[in-house]
Amino acid sequence: MGVLDTFALNGRRALVTGGNRGLGLAFATALAEAGADVAIAARDGERTAGVVKQAAEQGLRLHPITADITDDADVERMTGEAADALGGLDILVNNAGTCFHNNSWHATDEEWAQVFDLNVRALWKCSIEAARHMADTGGGSIVNIGSMSGLIVNRPQWQHAYNASKAAVHHLTKSLAAEWADAGIRVNAVAPGYVKTEMAPVDRPDLRRHWIEDTPQQRYALPEEIAPTVVFLASEAASFITGSVVVADGGYTVY
Ligand code: NDP
């Protein structure tokens, strides 16, 4: 097997949460391009159907699932549906996440709860459900989407709950990697910097001074630039990598 073959995902079955836009869609597309059979899950079924149709026009098959992953019953149904549709599950990309900007004096309990419920608790539930399927077939790879916000504190906007939630994602990644190594399941995280999506207002002039000028590469990324790292971690090319957090941030965290 040549080195490039180790990156191929032919015959692998992958589920991407939050796969109907932004980073999640780029991850799903890249996994499919690398040969995997891919299911995407999100709440907005109409949007997901549109994305699946567009992908089909480009020759890529994505399987749509409508689910709110903060609902435990939905998580169980989603992973079951993905495993049934694809014939099993080898790869889970825990991508769905949310953020709010507010200083800690004014943030509400609801804002805090929403962030932790989706970014941490739902990610944990999805991991458990997917790992059950993976353990049945000898193992798999889970890629959690953390953030450089789990390593540094962003500015000028304050987002303390999000930052803490992503630090939790990174450490949960290490904890599950340790627990599940003997089941053949690798668990890693990617920590992106600023990426142009609906979530991140990377073009706002008032944020430019810190978001762009503080980045050594002096720019934000496009989702397609983060996707190859997810493909790598999902693949056999990363066979000896587990419990790692791979930073892809244009150099932002060097300072
Ligand atoms: P978006 O807000 O553009 O997309 C979020 C995705 O998650 C959507 O597909 C959304 O679909 C889905 N989603 C949200 N809530 C739920 C839910 N309860 N159940 C199921 N799906 C849900 O975000 P990004 O693409 O920007 O971010 C993706 C991930 O990358 C997040 O974890 C984020 O924290 C992380 N990240 C992003 C960075 C950036 O600069 N953009 C930087 C670092 C990390 P729907 O609404 O239909 O449910």
Side-chain angles (χ1 to χ4, degrees):
M1 192 192 264
V3 68
L4 286 181
D5 298 324
T6 65
F7 292 83
L9 297 175
N10 300 312
R12 301 297 169 88
R13 291 108 5 139
L15 168 63
V16 181
T17 68
N20 70 0
R21 66 171 191 250
L23 279 158
L25 177 56
F27 300 153
T29 305
L31 292 165
E33 283 175 3
D37 295 322
V38 182
I40 57 172
R43 294 165 304 177
D44 183 344
E46 216 170 293
R47 185 175 193 139
T48 305
V51 158
V52 167
K53 191 163 171 271
Q54 265 183 350
E57 283 160 13
Q58 292 158 25
L60 294 175
R61 202 160 59 88
L62 301 177
H63 179 81
I65 299 176
T66 301
D68 178 346
I69 61 166
T70 60
D71 178 330
D72 293 355
D74 263 19
V75 170
E76 198 180 332
R77 179 182 51 78
M78 171 188 74
T79 44
E81 245 182 79
D84 285 349
L86 308 177
L89 205 51
D90 309 294
I91 297 163
L92 169 68
V93 182
N94 274 315
N95 163 79
T98 190
C99 181
F100 69 87
H101 297 170
N102 204 347
N103 70 48
S104 54
W105 303 112
H106 295 112
T108 63
D109 287 352
E110 287 71 30
E111 284 172 332
W112 176 277
Q114 259 179 27
V115 167
F116 268 77
D117 198 31
L118 179 60
N119 294 10
V120 185
R121 203 188 71 85
L123 178 144
W124 168 62
K125 285 288 181 182
C126 291
S127 301
I128 299 271
E129 286 301 326
R132 288 192 213 285
H133 290 279
M134 292 175 184
D136 284 348
T137 53
S141 173
I142 296 177
V143 183
N144 295 326
I145 307 308
S147 172
M148 71 173 181
S149 307
L151 304 167
I152 51 91
V153 173
N154 306 72
R155 58 187 174 168
Q157 83 289 0
W158 301 129
Q159 47 181 57
H160 60 293
Y162 180 81
N163 299 344
S165 77
K166 291 299 184 177
V169 167
H170 295 173
H171 212 59
L172 183 59
T173 297
K174 291 173 191 286
S175 304
L176 297 180
E179 268 194 51
W180 293 346
D182 64 359
I185 300 170
R186 294 184 297 103
V187 189
N188 291 291
V190 179
Y194 292 115
V195 186
K196 189 175 173 64
T197 67
E198 283 181 30
M199 178 197 272
V202 290
D203 288 323
R204 256 172 54 185
D206 58 318
L207 299 176
R208 184 179 167 79
R209 162 65 197 87
H210 288 296
W211 287 31
I212 305 302
E213 291 175 21
D214 280 352
T215 302
Q217 287 191 346
Q218 297 279 295
R219 65 178 181 87
Y220 54 76
L222 297 177
E224 293 70 29
E225 296 183 82
I226 311 298
T229 306
V230 170
V231 170
F232 164 60
L233 289 173
S235 74
E236 274 307 293
S239 59
F240 198 50
I241 300 180
T242 196
S244 286
V245 179
V246 179
V247 180
D249 67 349
Y252 190 93
T253 52
V254 300
Y255 296 129

